[in-house]
Amino acid sequence: MTGDPSFAIPARPRRRYPSSGGVEYEGQTRFRLEPATEMSQTALGQLVESVLADGPYRSGAFIELPMPLWLVRDEGSADVFRVSIRGGCVRLHVLPETGSAGLRRFYDRLVAAGDCAWAVDCRSDIADGPGYEGG
């Protein structure tokens, strides 16, 4: 999808609290944002960090992983979602209470900061949710 994406969320993951502790998510929905101009993972990371720094975000990097990953809260919309960078794309990972408004605001700021066009698509692997699209 190109143009003006809606960030409508077709299905939401479910949060589980296993008896062993912690939290797990069943299923996932993510928006893949691909810049029209090829950018390195480092450049994408710097771009995301600049958007987060300009706020209204509160964010934190996850534990050491082979890819950059942040937990983000939009203080304006109160939406919480994860942001990762992988394969030359920025990915917005929907959490159970994530709203479209927060995803849209992040995208708008990314477009403004990145100074290039972005293609957006949505993937969901929540088989029993409305709008199931597959992997």
Side-chain angles (χ1 to χ4, degrees), residues 56-133:
Y57 299 108
R58 201 168 12 151
S59 65
F62 271 78
I63 58 174
E64 287 297 317
L65 295 171
M67 65 180 180
L69 181 65
W70 298 267
L71 180 62
V72 175
R73 176 183 165 89
D74 182 321
E75 295 294 341
S77 68
D79 287 315
V80 177
F81 50 95
R82 292 186 312 238
V83 177
S84 67
I85 298 172
R86 187 171 188 166
C89 299
V90 175
R91 297 177 186 205
L92 307 181
H93 302 262
V94 173
L95 296 174
E97 292 85 22
T98 302
S100 297
L103 300 174
R104 177 66 198 201
R105 288 164 45 117
F106 184 87
Y107 169 78
D108 289 343
R109 290 181 176 109
L110 188 70
V111 168
D115 198 29
C116 72
W118 295 77
V120 178
D121 71 359
C122 179
R123 303 276 179 188
S124 182
D125 68 2
I126 303 171
D128 61 349
Y132 172 67
E133 300 176 27

Side-chain angles (χ1 to χ4, degrees), residues 15-86:
R15 192 176 283 132
R16 289 183 343 110
Y17 300 94
S19 59
S20 59
V23 64
E24 295 176 354
Y25 293 97
E26 294 177 347
Q28 66 176 329
T29 295
R30 64 202 168 281
F31 290 87
R32 184 175 170 271
L33 288 56
E34 182 176 358
T37 305
E38 188 173 322
M39 298 173 75
S40 70
Q41 183 161 311
T42 300
L44 283 171
Q46 291 170 342
L47 179 60
V48 167
E49 287 175 349
S50 74
V51 169
L52 294 174
D54 287 345
Y57 299 108
R58 201 168 12 151
S59 65
F62 271 78
I63 58 174
E64 287 297 317
L65 295 171
M67 65 180 180
L69 181 65
W70 298 267
L71 180 62
V72 175
R73 176 183 165 89
D74 182 321
E75 295 294 341
S77 68
D79 287 315
V80 177
F81 50 95
R82 292 186 312 238
V83 177
S84 67
I85 298 172
R86 187 171 188 166

